[in-house]
Amino acid sequence: MAVTHSPLQRELQKTRKRSSGATPEDAFYKARRIWLKGERLHLADLAEELGIGRATLFRWVGNKDLLLGDILWSLYLPIRNSIVASTSGTGVDFIVEVYRRINIELITAKPLQEFVKQDPEHALRVLTSSASTMHGRVVEVNTVMIQDQIDKGYLERPPMRVESLSYFMVRLAESCLYSDVILGRKPNIEEVEEACLAVRILLGGKP
């Protein structure tokens, strides 16, 4: 399965000597600090602070939505990896518990909720659409997790494609996490539990 890469990721993966000026890594970490403080991110201001041209910054990060996707992913992945490593069990029980713990963590994450509150439509685009790489990356790592359980013999192969199953799981989670934007009601843990039940059924487990 192809791995989703953003322009910034490609820049960071290049082997290069660190110059005396700003680098893509500098741009990323400065932008992430701005986002974590709950401030709006403006690429023109970021380029000025870094002492580089806007064209250079855009070449590094692609655009604002892609940069925000990289920031969100950098915060999401360590949480996910920690939860996967500390969750016991196998098969349906393992996948559902990882799913539950991740989404409860996200539903209570203040920086994420503040981001959604600031500009709901823009946040939803960054988090759930192809405008950034965040949604696609989450689908990919879910797919890898499900396929790993199948390969180990802990989970029966579902009647649908694993990638499709992963996609539906992510969409269910997004409907819970961002229900205030999508449905006009406050996100709550009870809906996460309902999503977990739906995932269990999709995976072939007993309700």
Side-chain angles (χ1 to χ4, degrees):
M1 180 175 56
V3 178
T4 302
H5 290 296
S6 67
L8 177 59
Q9 281 188 315
R10 289 192 289 270
E11 289 291 333
L12 293 175
Q13 287 172 357
K14 291 179 180 177
T15 302
R16 59 171 64 180
K17 292 182 179 179
R18 187 179 179 88
S19 66
S20 57
T23 67
E25 187 177 21
D26 296 327
F28 170 71
Y29 283 110
K30 190 168 193 64
R32 191 169 78 163
R33 286 194 295 271
I34 291 170
W35 187 86
L36 284 170
K37 287 191 287 186
E39 299 175 2
R40 291 183 181 273
L41 183 61
H42 300 286
L43 294 194
D45 293 343
L46 180 61
E48 185 176 348
E49 289 182 40
L50 292 167
I52 60 174
R54 280 184 287 181
T56 297
L57 182 60
F58 273 89
R59 190 181 80 248
W60 287 352
V61 306
N63 58 43
K64 181 178 176 180
D65 287 353
L66 288 169
L67 176 55
L68 286 168
D70 281 318
I71 291 169
L72 289 160
W73 180 249
S74 75
L75 298 169
Y76 170 87
L77 190 58
I79 293 171
R80 182 188 180 89
N81 287 344
S82 175
I83 287 173
V84 169
S86 61
T87 299
S88 59
T90 58
V92 174
D93 290 339
F94 172 76
I95 293 171
V96 171
E97 185 59 19
V98 167
Y99 186 81
R100 174 185 290 108
R101 291 178 62 191
I102 289 173
N103 288 305
I104 288 175
E105 184 81 23
L106 294 178
I107 210 169
T108 56
K110 289 184 179 179
L112 178 61
Q113 298 308 318
E114 185 61 32
F115 175 56
V116 173
K117 189 183 300 182
Q118 278 185 355
D119 190 341
E121 291 186 4
H122 178 233
L124 197 64
R125 186 172 75 243
V126 171
L127 289 160
T128 68
S129 79
S130 58
S132 83
T133 56
M134 183 65 189
H135 169 80
R137 288 170 179 172
V138 177
V139 172
E140 285 177 4
V141 292
N142 261 10
T143 301
V144 170
M145 177 177 64
I146 296 167
Q147 188 62 53
D148 178 64
Q149 293 296 300
I150 293 171
D151 293 344
K152 290 177 177 176
Y154 299 138
L155 185 69
E156 291 186 13
R157 183 169 294 279
M160 69 178 77
R161 292 189 310 116
V162 174
E163 291 83 356
S164 297
L165 175 57
S166 174
Y167 172 84
F168 293 135
M169 287 172 60
V170 174
R171 286 303 190 204
L172 274 171
E174 289 168 350
S175 70
C176 296
L177 295 171
Y178 317 122
S179 60
D180 49 346
V181 182
I182 300 170
L183 302 171
R185 62 172 182 258
K186 188 176 179 180
N188 62 80
I189 293 176
E190 288 76 14
E191 286 191 350
V192 171
E193 293 298 336
E194 290 291 321
C196 289
L197 177 58
V199 167
R200 180 174 290 279
I201 294 169
L202 283 171
L203 291 169
K206 294 182 179 179

